[in-house]
Amino acid sequence: MPVTPSSIVLDARSFAPGGCIAFPSGPASRGTVLVDAGHGGPDPGSVGTTLDGRTVAEKDLTLPVALAVASRLRTAGFSAVLSRSTDELGSTIESDDVQNGSLTTAASQEDLVARVRCANVARADALVSVHFNSFDDPAVTGSETLYDVDRPLAPRSRALAQSLQTNIRAGLAALGEPSPDRGVIDDSSGSEAGGGDLVLLGPGVPGSNDEPSAMPGALVEPLFLTNPADLTAVATPRGVDILAGAISSGVEDYLDEERR
Ligand SMILES: [Zn+2]
């Protein structure tokens, strides 16, 4: 979904061009969803290879999925907000934030904090972050969705995560690539977190993440980029479309249920 005249730049001073962009729905909005495309710019995320030898970086798959999720949500009557809408990170990156061709740990932390700030500025009702998993063994496969268990928001985040997980597994089955259920899990146990709470989903940390995300949130890892068969199935226009449909349905189902 391109940045159009109908889109709104939220807090332009705090974000890079293309960062934190809102796509408002009509006046009868069903809610606001922050759609976060993992990685970007100098941070490629993990990298996989398809069965026919095509190299795919995580950031190049999270973006089209997130754009398509935003488009679907908007069509369904939700306002969608993207933390990044181009290949670049939505946060402002200085030249010394990139060393030896990759993002420094400090800059990566600042970027994650900026994604949280975008969700809070947007007053989003839900936050969904799109990532893909990776592992040394290319045979490892399956879908998992992460949420933070340590916060008052945890029961709502868990419901969001379960709705996403259920819809994603149904979508992958429809794609002919049924995915083992690795479950809805504690965010500190995922490979993205390295043993701590995820900045995106976790509680505040004085001095580094002073204003934690204020809404239920989940981070999806629909499949392993390092599994060539899984990557081959999803790194196609149809795969992206099916995954985006599953993620937007997962958010819609959750928000509808919460309203009941
Ligand atoms: Zn990732």
Side-chain angles (χ1 to χ4, degrees), residues 8 22 52 86 116 134 145 149 155 168-169 171 173-174 184 231 234 242 246 248:
I8 297 170
D52 54 359
T86 71
V116 172
S134 64
T145 302
V149 301
I168 286 168
R169 293 191 62 238
V184 162
L231 178 60
V234 171
I242 284 185
S248 59

Side-chain angles (χ1 to χ4, degrees), residues 68-69 72 167 240-250 252:
V69 170
R72 280 174 173 268
N167 276 276
V240 166
D241 190 52
I242 284 185
L243 212 45
I247 293 169
S248 59
S249 295
E252 285 180 49

Side-chain angles (χ1 to χ4, degrees), residues 38-39 43-46 58 62 130-133 191-192 219-221:
H39 310 282
D43 169 20
S46 57
E58 187 179 355
T62 60
V130 181
H131 283 258
F132 293 93
N133 229 328
S191 60
E192 300 279 349
L219 183 147
V220 301
E221 307 256 26

Side-chain angles (χ1 to χ4, degrees), residues 141-144 168-169 172-173 177-182 222-223 230:
T141 182
S143 305
E144 65 188 33
I168 286 168
R169 293 191 62 238
L172 290 172
E177 198 66 16
S179 182
D181 188 4
R182 300 174 63 91
L223 55 89
D230 288 355

Side-chain angles (χ1 to χ4, degrees), residues 48-74:
T49 307
T50 61
L51 291 171
D52 54 359
R54 188 160 55 99
T55 301
V56 178
E58 187 179 355
K59 68 166 184 171
D60 294 327
L61 198 50
T62 60
L63 182 63
V65 170
L67 291 170
V69 170
S71 179
R72 280 174 173 268
L73 286 171
R74 193 155 177 250

